[in-house]
Amino acid sequence: MKTHFLNIIFLIATINIYSQNLTIDEIISLRKKDITEAEEFLNTKKWSLLNANQPNNGKLGSMEFSFGKNEFDDKAQAFLGYYFSENSELKRIDFDFFDKTIYNNYLTRIKSLGCKLIDSKVNDAEITKTYQGLTTTIKITIGTRKNDFNSTYTFYIFFIFSKEDYITNYNWVLIKE
C-alpha cells in the first residue's frame, strides 16, 4: 500500500512538472504571436519574465523568460528568448534547457513535422544541427558546461526562425522543395 501511494505521488509530481513545460509546437507557434500574446501565454504556463528590451538602432527587441527559476540566483530548468522587430513581422525564439528526454521528444516531433536536416557540424566542442521545414528553420546546439561543483552537464538550445529569415539574414543552406 505504501509503495502504491508513493507511485501515485511520483506520477502526480511528474505530470505537474511536464504539464507546465512547453511542447515544441507551442514554442514554434510563439513566433506567430505578438508581444502581449507571447507574454500572456508564457505566464499561464508558469514562465517568469527575466528581462525585456525594446528594439533600437536596428537591433531586435527581446523578452527573456525562465521556467523553474531558483529564487536565489539565475539558475532555472529552462530559458526562453522572444526576439522581435518594431518595423516588421520578424520574430525569433530561442529555447535553452537541460533535459535529454525533452530534447529527444522535441527532435522526434520536429522530424514528424517534415523538417529535414540541412546542416550539421561540430564546432568549439558543440554539435550544431539545422532542420528546415516548409516555413520554419530550427537550429539546434548541443554542448556541455561545468556547474558550480565542477560536474559536467549537457545543454540544448533550439533557435527557431522563419525559413525566409534564415535564408535572408544567415545566408545558409536552403533545401529545395
Side-chain angles (χ1 to χ4, degrees), residues 80-119:
L80 186 141
Y82 173 98
Y83 304 93
F84 59 95
S85 170
E86 266 183 341
N87 303 324
S88 73
E89 292 297 312
L90 179 66
K91 293 184 187 109
R92 300 174 183 156
I93 305 294
D94 83 32
F95 184 64
D96 307 7
F97 59 99
F98 312 96
D99 188 301
K100 184 177 184 176
T101 302
I102 293 173
Y103 164 75
N104 288 327
N105 290 339
Y106 285 1
L107 191 57
T108 299
R109 179 64 181 145
I110 287 167
K111 291 175 181 179
S112 76
L113 291 171
C115 295
K116 305 290 184 208
L117 181 67
I118 61 168
D119 189 35

Short mmCIF file of all heavy atoms in Angstrom, two decimals, residues 80-119:
data_model
loop_
_atom_site.label_atom_id
_atom_site.label_comp_id
_atom_site.label_asym_id
_atom_site.label_seq_id
_atom_site.Cartn_x
_atom_site.Cartn_y
_atom_site.Cartn_z
N LEU A 80 13.78 30.94 -22.16
CA LEU A 80 13.22 31.20 -23.48
C LEU A 80 13.43 32.66 -23.83
O LEU A 80 13.16 33.53 -23.00
CB LEU A 80 11.73 30.86 -23.50
CG LEU A 80 11.07 30.95 -24.87
CD1 LEU A 80 10.08 29.81 -25.05
CD2 LEU A 80 10.37 32.28 -25.07
N GLY A 81 13.92 32.92 -25.04
CA GLY A 81 14.07 34.28 -25.54
C GLY A 81 13.11 34.50 -26.70
O GLY A 81 13.00 33.65 -27.59
N TYR A 82 12.40 35.60 -26.67
CA TYR A 82 11.46 36.01 -27.73
C TYR A 82 12.03 37.29 -28.30
O TYR A 82 12.16 38.29 -27.59
CB TYR A 82 10.08 36.23 -27.11
CG TYR A 82 9.03 36.80 -28.05
CD1 TYR A 82 8.13 35.96 -28.68
CD2 TYR A 82 8.92 38.17 -28.26
CE1 TYR A 82 7.14 36.49 -29.51
CE2 TYR A 82 7.96 38.70 -29.08
CZ TYR A 82 7.06 37.86 -29.71
OH TYR A 82 6.09 38.37 -30.54
N TYR A 83 12.42 37.29 -29.57
CA TYR A 83 13.06 38.43 -30.21
C TYR A 83 12.13 38.98 -31.28
O TYR A 83 11.53 38.22 -32.04
CB TYR A 83 14.40 38.01 -30.82
CG TYR A 83 15.31 37.38 -29.79
CD1 TYR A 83 15.34 36.01 -29.59
CD2 TYR A 83 16.09 38.18 -28.96
CE1 TYR A 83 16.13 35.45 -28.61
CE2 TYR A 83 16.89 37.62 -27.98
CZ TYR A 83 16.90 36.25 -27.81
OH TYR A 83 17.68 35.70 -26.82
N PHE A 84 12.02 40.31 -31.35
CA PHE A 84 11.05 40.92 -32.24
C PHE A 84 11.59 42.23 -32.82
O PHE A 84 12.47 42.86 -32.26
CB PHE A 84 9.74 41.17 -31.50
CG PHE A 84 9.90 42.06 -30.29
CD1 PHE A 84 9.65 43.42 -30.38
CD2 PHE A 84 10.31 41.54 -29.06
CE1 PHE A 84 9.81 44.25 -29.28
CE2 PHE A 84 10.47 42.36 -27.95
CZ PHE A 84 10.22 43.72 -28.06
N SER A 85 10.98 42.63 -33.93
CA SER A 85 11.32 43.88 -34.60
C SER A 85 10.14 44.82 -34.54
O SER A 85 8.99 44.39 -34.56
CB SER A 85 11.67 43.58 -36.07
OG SER A 85 11.78 44.77 -36.79
N GLU A 86 10.43 46.11 -34.48
CA GLU A 86 9.35 47.11 -34.49
C GLU A 86 8.75 47.28 -35.87
O GLU A 86 7.56 47.52 -36.02
CB GLU A 86 9.90 48.48 -34.05
CG GLU A 86 9.74 48.75 -32.61
CD GLU A 86 10.24 50.14 -32.26
OE1 GLU A 86 11.01 50.75 -33.01
OE2 GLU A 86 9.85 50.60 -31.18
N ASN A 87 9.58 47.18 -36.90
CA ASN A 87 9.16 47.55 -38.24
C ASN A 87 8.77 46.38 -39.14
O ASN A 87 8.49 46.59 -40.30
CB ASN A 87 10.28 48.35 -38.92
CG ASN A 87 10.65 49.57 -38.11
OD1 ASN A 87 9.79 50.19 -37.50
ND2 ASN A 87 11.92 49.88 -38.06
N SER A 88 8.79 45.17 -38.62
CA SER A 88 8.45 44.03 -39.46
C SER A 88 7.86 42.92 -38.62
O SER A 88 7.77 43.02 -37.40
CB SER A 88 9.69 43.52 -40.21
OG SER A 88 10.55 42.85 -39.31
N GLU A 89 7.47 41.87 -39.28
CA GLU A 89 6.94 40.70 -38.60
C GLU A 89 8.04 39.76 -38.15
O GLU A 89 7.77 38.65 -37.72
CB GLU A 89 5.97 39.97 -39.54
CG GLU A 89 4.70 40.74 -39.83
CD GLU A 89 3.87 40.96 -38.57
OE1 GLU A 89 3.65 39.99 -37.82
OE2 GLU A 89 3.46 42.11 -38.33
N LEU A 90 9.29 40.20 -38.24
CA LEU A 90 10.43 39.37 -37.88
C LEU A 90 10.39 39.01 -36.40
O LEU A 90 10.39 39.89 -35.55
CB LEU A 90 11.73 40.10 -38.21
CG LEU A 90 13.02 39.37 -37.88
CD1 LEU A 90 13.17 38.13 -38.76
CD2 LEU A 90 14.21 40.28 -38.06
N LYS A 91 10.34 37.70 -36.13
CA LYS A 91 10.37 37.21 -34.75
C LYS A 91 11.21 35.95 -34.73
O LYS A 91 11.17 35.14 -35.64
CB LYS A 91 8.97 36.91 -34.26
CG LYS A 91 8.11 38.15 -34.13
CD LYS A 91 6.76 37.82 -33.54
CE LYS A 91 5.88 39.03 -33.58
NZ LYS A 91 4.82 38.93 -34.55
N ARG A 92 11.96 35.80 -33.64
CA ARG A 92 12.81 34.62 -33.43
C ARG A 92 12.62 34.14 -32.00
O ARG A 92 12.37 34.94 -31.11
CB ARG A 92 14.28 34.97 -33.66
CG ARG A 92 14.58 35.46 -35.06
CD ARG A 92 16.00 35.91 -35.20
NE ARG A 92 16.23 36.45 -36.54
CZ ARG A 92 17.18 37.32 -36.83
NH1 ARG A 92 18.00 37.75 -35.88
NH2 ARG A 92 17.33 37.75 -38.06
N ILE A 93 12.80 32.85 -31.81
CA ILE A 93 12.67 32.25 -30.49
C ILE A 93 13.92 31.44 -30.21
O ILE A 93 14.41 30.72 -31.08
CB ILE A 93 11.44 31.30 -30.43
CG1 ILE A 93 10.15 32.00 -30.86
CG2 ILE A 93 11.32 30.65 -29.05
CD1 ILE A 93 9.68 33.10 -29.95
N ASP A 94 14.44 31.56 -29.00
CA ASP A 94 15.44 30.58 -28.59
C ASP A 94 14.99 29.97 -27.27
O ASP A 94 14.39 30.62 -26.43
CB ASP A 94 16.87 31.13 -28.57
CG ASP A 94 17.27 31.88 -27.32
OD1 ASP A 94 16.79 31.56 -26.23
OD2 ASP A 94 18.11 32.78 -27.43
N PHE A 95 15.23 28.67 -27.17
CA PHE A 95 14.77 27.89 -26.03
C PHE A 95 15.94 27.06 -25.52
O PHE A 95 16.49 26.25 -26.26
CB PHE A 95 13.60 27.00 -26.48
CG PHE A 95 12.98 26.21 -25.37
CD1 PHE A 95 12.33 26.85 -24.32
CD2 PHE A 95 13.01 24.83 -25.37
CE1 PHE A 95 11.75 26.13 -23.29
CE2 PHE A 95 12.42 24.09 -24.36
CZ PHE A 95 11.79 24.75 -23.32
N ASP A 96 16.36 27.29 -24.29
CA ASP A 96 17.52 26.62 -23.70
C ASP A 96 17.04 25.76 -22.53
O ASP A 96 16.32 26.24 -21.66
CB ASP A 96 18.51 27.64 -23.13
CG ASP A 96 18.91 28.71 -24.12
OD1 ASP A 96 18.35 28.78 -25.21
OD2 ASP A 96 19.80 29.50 -23.78
N PHE A 97 17.49 24.50 -22.51
CA PHE A 97 17.09 23.60 -21.44
C PHE A 97 18.14 22.52 -21.25
O PHE A 97 19.14 22.48 -21.98
CB PHE A 97 15.70 22.99 -21.72
CG PHE A 97 15.63 22.22 -23.01
CD1 PHE A 97 15.72 20.84 -23.01
CD2 PHE A 97 15.45 22.87 -24.22
CE1 PHE A 97 15.66 20.12 -24.19
CE2 PHE A 97 15.39 22.16 -25.40
CZ PHE A 97 15.50 20.78 -25.39
N PHE A 98 17.91 21.61 -20.29
CA PHE A 98 18.95 20.67 -19.89
C PHE A 98 18.47 19.22 -19.81
O PHE A 98 19.21 18.37 -19.34
CB PHE A 98 19.51 21.11 -18.51
CG PHE A 98 19.83 22.57 -18.47
CD1 PHE A 98 18.92 23.48 -17.96
CD2 PHE A 98 21.02 23.05 -19.00
CE1 PHE A 98 19.20 24.85 -17.95
CE2 PHE A 98 21.31 24.40 -19.00
CZ PHE A 98 20.40 25.30 -18.47
N ASP A 99 17.29 18.93 -20.27
CA ASP A 99 16.68 17.62 -20.11
C ASP A 99 16.75 16.80 -21.40
O ASP A 99 16.16 17.18 -22.41
CB ASP A 99 15.22 17.79 -19.67
CG ASP A 99 14.56 16.50 -19.29
OD1 ASP A 99 14.50 15.58 -20.13
OD2 ASP A 99 14.08 16.41 -18.15
N LYS A 100 17.46 15.68 -21.36
CA LYS A 100 17.66 14.84 -22.54
C LYS A 100 16.34 14.25 -23.06
O LYS A 100 16.14 14.13 -24.27
CB LYS A 100 18.65 13.72 -22.22
CG LYS A 100 19.00 12.86 -23.40
CD LYS A 100 20.03 11.81 -23.02
CE LYS A 100 20.45 11.00 -24.23
NZ LYS A 100 21.52 10.06 -23.90
N THR A 101 15.44 13.89 -22.17
CA THR A 101 14.15 13.33 -22.58
C THR A 101 13.35 14.35 -23.39
O THR A 101 12.78 14.02 -24.43
CB THR A 101 13.34 12.86 -21.34
OG1 THR A 101 14.11 11.90 -20.64
CG2 THR A 101 12.01 12.28 -21.75
N ILE A 102 13.34 15.59 -22.91
CA ILE A 102 12.64 16.65 -23.64
C ILE A 102 13.30 16.86 -25.00
O ILE A 102 12.62 16.99 -26.02
CB ILE A 102 12.60 17.96 -22.82
CG1 ILE A 102 11.72 17.77 -21.59
CG2 ILE A 102 12.10 19.13 -23.66
CD1 ILE A 102 11.74 18.92 -20.61
N TYR A 103 14.63 16.88 -25.04
CA TYR A 103 15.36 17.02 -26.31
C TYR A 103 14.93 15.93 -27.29
O TYR A 103 14.61 16.21 -28.45
CB TYR A 103 16.86 16.96 -26.06
CG TYR A 103 17.66 16.72 -27.32
CD1 TYR A 103 17.85 17.73 -28.25
CD2 TYR A 103 18.21 15.46 -27.58
CE1 TYR A 103 18.57 17.50 -29.42
CE2 TYR A 103 18.93 15.23 -28.73
CZ TYR A 103 19.10 16.25 -29.66
OH TYR A 103 19.80 16.01 -30.82
N ASN A 104 14.93 14.69 -26.84
CA ASN A 104 14.56 13.58 -27.72
C ASN A 104 13.11 13.70 -28.20
O ASN A 104 12.82 13.44 -29.38
CB ASN A 104 14.78 12.24 -27.03
CG ASN A 104 16.25 11.91 -26.90
OD1 ASN A 104 17.06 12.27 -27.75
ND2 ASN A 104 16.62 11.24 -25.83
N ASN A 105 12.20 14.10 -27.32
CA ASN A 105 10.80 14.29 -27.71
C ASN A 105 10.66 15.41 -28.75
O ASN A 105 9.93 15.27 -29.73
CB ASN A 105 9.94 14.60 -26.49
CG ASN A 105 9.76 13.40 -25.58
OD1 ASN A 105 9.94 12.26 -25.99
ND2 ASN A 105 9.44 13.66 -24.32
N TYR A 106 11.36 16.52 -28.53
CA TYR A 106 11.30 17.64 -29.47
C TYR A 106 11.86 17.23 -30.83
O TYR A 106 11.29 17.54 -31.87
CB TYR A 106 12.09 18.83 -28.95
CG TYR A 106 11.43 19.61 -27.83
CD1 TYR A 106 10.21 19.26 -27.30
CD2 TYR A 106 12.06 20.72 -27.30
CE1 TYR A 106 9.63 19.98 -26.28
CE2 TYR A 106 11.49 21.46 -26.27
CZ TYR A 106 10.27 21.08 -25.77
OH TYR A 106 9.70 21.81 -24.77
N LEU A 107 12.99 16.54 -30.83
CA LEU A 107 13.62 16.12 -32.08
C LEU A 107 12.71 15.18 -32.85
O LEU A 107 12.55 15.32 -34.08
CB LEU A 107 14.97 15.47 -31.78
CG LEU A 107 15.87 15.22 -32.98
CD1 LEU A 107 16.16 16.51 -33.74
CD2 LEU A 107 17.18 14.59 -32.51
N THR A 108 12.09 14.24 -32.17
CA THR A 108 11.15 13.32 -32.82
C THR A 108 9.99 14.10 -33.44
O THR A 108 9.59 13.83 -34.58
CB THR A 108 10.62 12.28 -31.80
OG1 THR A 108 11.72 11.53 -31.30
CG2 THR A 108 9.59 11.36 -32.42
N ARG A 109 9.47 15.07 -32.71
CA ARG A 109 8.34 15.86 -33.21
C ARG A 109 8.76 16.72 -34.40
O ARG A 109 8.02 16.83 -35.38
CB ARG A 109 7.76 16.74 -32.09
CG ARG A 109 6.61 17.61 -32.53
CD ARG A 109 5.41 16.81 -32.97
NE ARG A 109 4.34 17.70 -33.39
CZ ARG A 109 3.50 17.44 -34.37
NH1 ARG A 109 3.55 16.29 -35.01
NH2 ARG A 109 2.58 18.31 -34.69
N ILE A 110 9.93 17.32 -34.35
CA ILE A 110 10.42 18.14 -35.46
C ILE A 110 10.50 17.31 -36.73
O ILE A 110 10.07 17.74 -37.81
CB ILE A 110 11.79 18.76 -35.11
CG1 ILE A 110 11.62 19.88 -34.09
CG2 ILE A 110 12.51 19.28 -36.35
CD1 ILE A 110 12.91 20.33 -33.44
N LYS A 111 11.01 16.11 -36.62
CA LYS A 111 11.10 15.22 -37.78
C LYS A 111 9.72 14.81 -38.27
O LYS A 111 9.48 14.73 -39.47
CB LYS A 111 11.95 13.99 -37.44
CG LYS A 111 13.42 14.33 -37.25
CD LYS A 111 14.20 13.11 -36.81
CE LYS A 111 15.67 13.44 -36.58
NZ LYS A 111 16.42 12.26 -36.13
N SER A 112 8.79 14.58 -37.34
CA SER A 112 7.43 14.18 -37.74
C SER A 112 6.69 15.33 -38.42
O SER A 112 5.74 15.10 -39.17
CB SER A 112 6.63 13.66 -36.55
OG SER A 112 6.19 14.70 -35.72
N LEU A 113 7.11 16.57 -38.17
CA LEU A 113 6.52 17.73 -38.84
C LEU A 113 7.05 17.89 -40.27
O LEU A 113 6.64 18.79 -40.99
CB LEU A 113 6.81 19.01 -38.04
CG LEU A 113 6.09 19.14 -36.71
CD1 LEU A 113 6.63 20.34 -35.91
CD2 LEU A 113 4.59 19.27 -36.91
N GLY A 114 7.99 17.04 -40.66
CA GLY A 114 8.53 17.07 -42.01
C GLY A 114 9.79 17.90 -42.15
O GLY A 114 10.26 18.13 -43.27
N CYS A 115 10.36 18.36 -41.07
CA CYS A 115 11.61 19.11 -41.14
C CYS A 115 12.75 18.17 -41.50
O CYS A 115 12.83 17.06 -40.97
CB CYS A 115 11.89 19.81 -39.81
SG CYS A 115 10.69 21.08 -39.38
N LYS A 116 13.60 18.61 -42.39
CA LYS A 116 14.74 17.81 -42.86
C LYS A 116 16.04 18.42 -42.37
O LYS A 116 16.18 19.64 -42.32
CB LYS A 116 14.77 17.76 -44.39
CG LYS A 116 13.49 17.27 -45.04
CD LYS A 116 13.30 15.80 -44.79
CE LYS A 116 12.07 15.33 -45.53
NZ LYS A 116 11.42 14.22 -44.92
N LEU A 117 16.99 17.56 -42.05
CA LEU A 117 18.32 18.00 -41.66
C LEU A 117 19.01 18.62 -42.88
O LEU A 117 19.13 17.99 -43.92
CB LEU A 117 19.14 16.83 -41.14
CG LEU A 117 20.55 17.15 -40.67
CD1 LEU A 117 20.52 18.03 -39.42
CD2 LEU A 117 21.31 15.86 -40.40
N ILE A 118 19.42 19.90 -42.76
CA ILE A 118 20.09 20.56 -43.88
C ILE A 118 21.55 20.88 -43.59
O ILE A 118 22.30 21.22 -44.50
CB ILE A 118 19.35 21.85 -44.33
CG1 ILE A 118 19.28 22.87 -43.19
CG2 ILE A 118 17.96 21.52 -44.85
CD1 ILE A 118 18.82 24.25 -43.61
N ASP A 119 21.94 20.78 -42.32
CA ASP A 119 23.33 21.08 -41.98
C ASP A 119 23.63 20.49 -40.61
O ASP A 119 22.76 20.46 -39.73
CB ASP A 119 23.54 22.60 -41.95
CG ASP A 119 25.01 22.99 -41.81
OD1 ASP A 119 25.87 22.28 -42.37
OD2 ASP A 119 25.29 24.00 -41.15
#
